[in-house]
Amino acid sequence: MSLELYGSDQVIWRPNQNQIDEANLTAFTNRYGVSDYQALIKKAAEDQDWFYNAINETFHFQWDRPFDRISESSNGAPFTEWFKGGYINIYKNCVEKHLTKCNTKNAIVWEGEDGSKQGLTYQELDEHVSRFALGLQRLGVGYGDRIGIFLPPIIESAIALYACAKLGAIAVPMFSGYGADAVTTRLNDSECKVLITADGSIRKGKVSPMKEIADRAVDLSPSVEHVVVVNHTHTNFTKRRLDRHYENVLASKGATLITHETKASDPYLIIYTSGTTGKPKGTVHTHSSFIIKTAIDMYFCFDVKEDAKLFWMTDIGWIMGPWLLIGANLFHCTAVLYEGDVNYPQNGRILQLIEDHRLTHIGMAPTVVRTLRKTHSDQTLPSYDTSSLKIIGSTGEAIDQASWTWLIEQVGESRCPIINYSGGTEAGGGIIGCYPTMPLKASSFHGPLPGIDPEVVDQDQQPVRNKTGELIVQQPFVGMTKSFWQDDDRYLNTYWNKWPGVWVHGDLVSIDDLGYWYIKGRADDTIKVAGKRIGPTEIEEVLTNHDRAKEAAVIGIPDDIKGQSIIGFVTLENEGEQLDKGLIRNELVNTVAEKLGKPLKPTFIFFVKDFPRTQSRKIVRRVIKNVFLNEQIGDISTIANPNILVEFTSDKLLDKGVT
């Protein structure tokens, strides 16, 4: 692959020749006579039949019945049916097909904060899944039933996901840190028949009573007939009428159950994601689309091979949880689950995982990277052996250059590439990403995933370069949600109705003159000052470069003259110290004016203690803006710290003064 395709300007990392020669991307392009990455992206977009047939041949998917055609769009592009006529089951492809191979290899390993470990080989996993699936069947669970999974990232979460696949049921995973209202919303929207939960989960040495939360949710969820409880933390709880102990649900050892033959278009996962308005949206992923999309992304971007050991700092309730488990097992790899905090009980706990498990791949959100970087601000890390590491993944939000550079130098030791990966729950994985065969610039993406046809456009739907535009996908793609659960109209309004036949993703993106892509923020967070559009992350990155600034969030508020003016919120390092906040505020405003231009400098900057965040630690600018402007807040069920909202009322902030 030619490195000249990506110029040398500001390149920080380059692959060596062995990394290029041994990469899956190189093997695929050589096998199918495609000259390079750009040619592959172009051919895959122009001839989807060729591409997906080649993918099917590469991965040797086990089809119970072969598909008649790759796609059928007779009901319109938003409702494209993939692999029409085919029957495929995720469980058969991730577990059953490997049972004739080495039975001593771990399929899944779990580790807790205190170093406790548990692992299951592929054979043991199959036995547990069969026993649990048969037990669920005896509780009345069958094809098409929805099963809520409210569990921490433990072995039983994988067993539950696979038991649903084996039965042809639909898994509804939920974040283990949710409160009762968030769980209730998801149970009722999907009309779950069974909820699988645990007595508790552990983080920073403390037990979170998940069963109490589940009880409150089930009391308001009439569709739930049984609650299966995993005794994970050995915490006492009140046994209620619907409760069934996990161990008592398991069928006897040696029990077997034939895996259901599922259509390619049968739903397998409903994973909820919140928008700017309304209740959470239930994205629907099918047996064929989710496994094939996961296979593509892991193969090309993350260069996963059979000897890999993969870990992602995530939860079973986020898309990356099922993605990790199903992807790793599809490749006959080991998926590593960790329950706890990245810096507990000692700093660098996540690095200890690399050494102990000889991890080849790790992934995390930029918020986790920033947490690690701030913890190790002296640029030193605990001395762990990370020589096994080959790939570092980053997803969930835009990563600032300082954190990206720190990550590749300190954790990747300047030899492991950072694979930036962006798409979302509704995309079933990535839309744009990086590849380990091409040079990297800080915070950048190389471009589209194979099979995806994205573009960056202005408000007239014209392609733009070297300026921020809106990310669209120009034709349907494998991985995209089948719809929202029982809400086609909202699905169309969210992604398809802005421009006919085009998926509008909601991200702001720019492409530089060398072809590198950059995420600039969300379109619904866009700020427009005197006709100048800017994503909030561009301003936030300038603010956080100040040595006293820890994190920042920026919103646009109505301005009679300029259309919008910019308001910044900043948390400070060493908040307890005597700081000249007036001086810091002036430095921040002047720096933005210097870096981005005077029209884009903040009108006000307020210092706050923390931000409203989702359970995955993302800052929710929408809520900040609504509270500040005294507008309707909307859905806040996914916010981890709702008590902080009162701090963002304009009256309270103005009482603090701005000078």
Side-chain angles (χ1 to χ4, degrees):
M1 179 154 304
S2 172
L3 297 182
E4 285 71 34
L5 293 171
Y6 287 88
S8 61
D9 182 36
Q10 299 176 359
V11 164
I12 291 178
W13 180 89
R14 290 181 181 276
N16 60 44
Q17 194 59 47
N18 185 64
Q19 287 170 313
I20 297 171
D21 293 343
E22 298 298 319
N24 292 334
L25 176 59
T26 302
F28 189 90
T29 54
N30 288 342
R31 179 178 183 181
Y32 291 100
V34 182
S35 59
D36 54 28
Y37 161 72
Q38 279 88 348
L40 171 61
I41 297 303
K42 186 173 186 294
K43 185 170 183 178
E46 293 176 348
D47 190 350
Q48 289 188 331
D49 283 3
W50 166 81
F51 177 67
Y52 288 114
N53 278 313
I55 289 297
N56 188 46
E57 183 179 58
T58 298
F59 287 99
H60 306 290
F61 292 113
Q62 181 177 323
W63 295 84
D64 292 315
R65 303 182 203 178
F67 53 85
D68 299 323
R69 53 188 177 276
I70 297 295
S71 64
E72 168 61 64
S73 298
S74 58
N75 293 322
F79 301 104
T80 298
E81 184 177 346
W82 296 98
F83 310 104
K84 189 172 178 62
Y87 280 65
I88 189 172
N89 185 280
I90 279 178
Y91 186 64
K92 289 185 177 181
N93 281 272
C94 291
V95 180
E96 287 184 357
K97 72 182 292 185
H98 301 311
L99 295 179
T100 58
K101 299 180 181 179
C102 175
N103 288 333
T104 61
K105 183 174 187 175
N106 277 328
I108 301 167
V109 173
W110 165 86
E111 182 169 330
E113 284 180 336
D114 64 356
S116 300
K117 296 180 179 68
Q118 181 186 2
L120 292 179
T121 66
Y122 278 85
Q123 187 68 49
E124 291 168 338
L125 177 60
D126 181 59
E127 292 170 359
H128 279 267
V129 171
S130 294
R131 293 175 65 195
F132 189 49
L134 187 55
L136 289 175
Q137 187 181 68
R138 290 170 179 171
L139 292 179
V141 175
Y143 170 76
D145 287 333
R146 277 76 64 203
I147 308 301
I149 303 175
F150 180 49
L151 289 170
I154 56 178
I155 292 286
E156 287 81 4
S157 62
I159 293 171
L161 277 172
Y162 281 136
C164 290
K166 191 172 182 70
L167 289 167
I170 303 171
V172 186
M174 305 175 212
F175 174 55
S176 60
Y178 275 148
D181 287 355
V183 176
T184 301
T185 298
R186 288 152 179 78
L187 290 175
N188 284 323
D189 188 69
S190 58
E191 296 179 297
C192 284
K193 191 171 190 176
V194 173
L195 175 63
I196 305 166
T197 189
D199 53 354
S201 62
I202 301 173
R203 184 177 176 84
K204 292 188 176 180
K206 297 179 180 179
V207 175
S208 174
M210 296 184 69
K211 179 58 165 59
E212 294 178 14
I213 295 169
D215 287 345
R216 295 199 298 272
V218 169
D219 285 342
L220 299 172
S221 306
S223 64
V224 177
E225 298 176 6
H226 302 281
V227 178
V228 179
V229 185
V230 177
N231 188 17
H232 174 54
T233 62
H234 306 286
T235 304
N236 290 327
F237 61 87
T238 302
K239 190 173 186 300
R240 291 151 51 105
R241 180 179 60 86
L242 300 183
D243 290 351
R244 304 287 184 270
H245 281 280
Y246 172 81
E247 294 293 336
N248 294 336
V249 171
L250 291 175
S252 59
K253 291 183 178 180
T256 59
L257 179 68
I258 296 175
T259 299
H260 192 94
E261 289 192 0
T262 46
K263 296 178 183 177
S265 59
D266 279 345
Y268 168 56
L269 289 172
I270 301 174
I271 304 186
Y272 285 84
T273 180
S274 290
T276 55
T277 59
K279 67 181 182 180
K281 309 182 291 284
T283 66
V284 181
H285 298 288
T286 67
H287 276 265
S288 64
S289 193
F290 190 71
I291 194 173
I292 292 172
K293 174 59 175 166
T294 301
I296 290 168
D297 293 8
M298 281 201 172
Y299 180 80
F300 288 108
C301 289
F302 294 93
D303 206 39
V304 173
K305 300 178 175 65
E306 191 166 333
D307 60 351
K309 290 185 177 180
L310 294 90
F311 165 75
W312 207 280
M313 193 69 196
T314 186
D315 187 273
I316 202 67
W318 307 131
I319 190 73
M320 298 307 292
W323 181 92
L324 168 69
L325 290 165
I326 289 165
N329 293 159
L330 172 67
F331 281 84
H332 195 226
C333 299
T334 301
V336 177
L337 306 177
Y338 175 68
E339 181 189 10
D341 186 78
V342 294
N343 281 323
Y344 187 89
Q346 72 275 347
N347 289 339
R349 181 67 174 84
I350 193 173
L351 303 180
Q352 186 181 0
L353 287 177
I354 301 173
E355 177 179 284
D356 290 351
H357 297 278
R358 305 301 296 157
L359 296 177
T360 58
H361 296 65
I362 64 168
M364 62 194 83
T367 296
V368 177
V369 181
R370 289 191 288 269
T371 299
L372 289 169
R373 181 169 69 91
K374 295 293 186 181
T375 304
H376 307 288
S377 57
D378 60 356
Q379 299 297 305
T380 61
L381 286 170
S383 181
Y384 292 109
D385 180 4
T386 60
S387 59
S388 61
L389 195 60
K390 296 179 180 179
I391 298 285
I392 302 171
S394 174
T395 193
E397 59 182 311
I399 184 169
D400 59 281
Q401 291 193 14
S403 296
W404 187 96
T405 303
W406 179 89
L407 181 63
I408 202 167
E409 291 178 351
Q410 298 297 315
V411 178
E413 298 176 339
S414 298
R415 57 181 179 77
C416 301
I418 295 176
I419 303 300
N420 273 351
Y421 180 62
S422 183
T425 303
E426 63 274 46
I431 291 176
I432 60 175
C434 293
Y435 300 85
T437 58
M438 293 183 281
L440 291 171
K441 292 168 67 174
S443 307
S444 65
F445 297 79
H446 287 130
L449 274 293
I452 309 287
D453 186 19
E455 184 55 272
V456 180
V457 299
D458 62 18
Q459 290 301 305
D460 297 320
Q461 205 182 339
Q462 296 302 307
V464 295
R465 295 295 182 269
N466 288 310
K467 61 187 293 188
T468 298
E470 193 154 359
L471 179 65
I472 64 171
V473 184
Q474 300 175 103
Q475 56 182 320
F477 56 96
V478 167
M480 73 184 200
T481 178
K482 189 176 182 180
S483 182
F484 294 155
W485 181 252
Q486 297 182 331
D487 200 345
D488 290 347
D489 288 343
R490 192 178 182 202
Y491 165 60
L492 293 171
N493 288 334
T494 301
Y495 296 113
W496 293 95
N497 285 353
K498 184 171 183 177
W499 292 305
V502 173
W503 170 289
V504 180
H505 193 59
D507 278 346
L508 297 176
V509 175
S510 68
I511 307 174
D512 71 14
D513 54 7
L514 294 176
Y516 289 89
W517 297 49
Y518 296 87
I519 299 289
K520 297 297 185 179
R522 292 289 296 172
D524 49 23
D525 289 331
T526 303
I527 300 169
K528 195 169 186 179
V529 181
K532 300 172 181 65
R533 297 175 72 241
I534 189 167
T537 56
E538 293 183 76
I539 305 171
E540 290 161 4
E541 186 166 331
V542 173
L543 293 173
T544 54
N545 279 335
H546 191 285
D547 59 3
R548 286 293 189 180
K550 187 176 182 180
E551 286 187 283
V554 169
I555 63 171
I557 65 169
D559 186 292
D560 290 341
I561 297 175
K562 296 182 290 185
Q564 283 187 311
S565 58
I566 296 168
I567 304 294
F569 304 89
V570 174
T571 58
L572 295 174
E573 295 283 8
N574 304 316
E575 171 70 23
E577 295 181 5
Q578 284 294 110
L579 300 174
D580 187 341
K581 292 184 178 180
L583 175 63
I584 296 171
R585 181 180 289 108
N586 289 336
E587 289 175 351
L588 290 170
V589 171
N590 292 335
T591 300
V592 174
E594 178 184 344
K595 297 290 186 183
L596 300 178
K598 290 182 179 180
L600 298 176
K601 72 178 183 180
T603 302
F604 295 116
I605 287 180
F606 298 102
F607 297 117
V608 294
K609 293 181 179 179
D610 198 1
F611 300 100
R613 302 174 185 272
T614 66
Q615 303 288 352
S616 59
R617 302 292 296 165
K618 293 181 186 177
I619 296 172
V620 191
R621 301 185 193 89
R622 166 186 65 84
V623 173
I624 293 174
K625 182 174 181 177
N626 290 349
V627 172
F628 186 79
L629 295 175
N630 196 29
E631 296 178 346
Q632 284 269 48
I633 298 176
D635 173 42
I636 59 171
S637 64
T638 58
I639 293 179
N641 55 340
N643 292 340
I644 199 71
L645 296 179
V646 68
E647 299 294 326
F648 287 83
T649 59
S650 55
D651 289 344
K652 187 157 188 175
L653 287 166
L654 290 169
D655 282 345
K656 296 178 181 179
V658 296
T659 59

